[in-house]
Amino acid sequence: MRSFIFRVNITYQTFLQHYSGAASSVVVMTENGLKLQLPAVRLRPFLTQMGVKGRFQVAVDGNNKLTTLTKLSD
């Protein structure tokens, strides 16, 4: 299993556009410079009135399928 760390700063309004279907995924840049495409729905539990903000860690399996997404800090 591999893991990647990245930061997200998406406003509430922008996230609602992603979640409502305007875009079904979010592309992030990891701290190592890799681009990851994540399903927007996986960020939903972290949505607040301010949007989705913070430092996150994502783990993927051998097939590069997302297994866990954890918020590390604000």
Side-chain angles (χ1 to χ4, degrees), residues 11-39:
T11 66
Y12 184 82
Q13 282 303 115
T14 300
F15 186 80
L16 286 183
Q17 291 173 356
H18 279 74
Y19 190 70
S20 67
S24 60
S25 62
V26 175
V27 177
V28 298
M29 183 75 71
T30 69
E31 291 182 351
N32 293 331
L34 298 172
K35 285 185 182 178
L36 293 180
Q37 183 173 332
L38 307 169

Side-chain angles (χ1 to χ4, degrees), residues 2-66:
R2 298 184 316 168
S3 66
F4 305 95
I5 296 175
F6 60 92
R7 291 192 174 276
V8 172
N9 187 0
I10 304 172
T11 66
Y12 184 82
Q13 282 303 115
T14 300
F15 186 80
L16 286 183
Q17 291 173 356
H18 279 74
Y19 190 70
S20 67
S24 60
S25 62
V26 175
V27 177
V28 298
M29 183 75 71
T30 69
E31 291 182 351
N32 293 331
L34 298 172
K35 285 185 182 178
L36 293 180
Q37 183 173 332
L38 307 169
V41 69
R42 295 300 293 259
L43 293 170
R44 178 87 168 102
F46 306 103
L47 181 64
T48 68
Q49 291 177 335
M50 299 300 291
V52 179
K53 298 181 183 185
R55 188 169 178 244
F56 294 84
Q57 181 175 24
V58 63
V60 297
D61 65 16
N63 296 317
N64 290 325
K65 299 286 184 186
L66 191 148

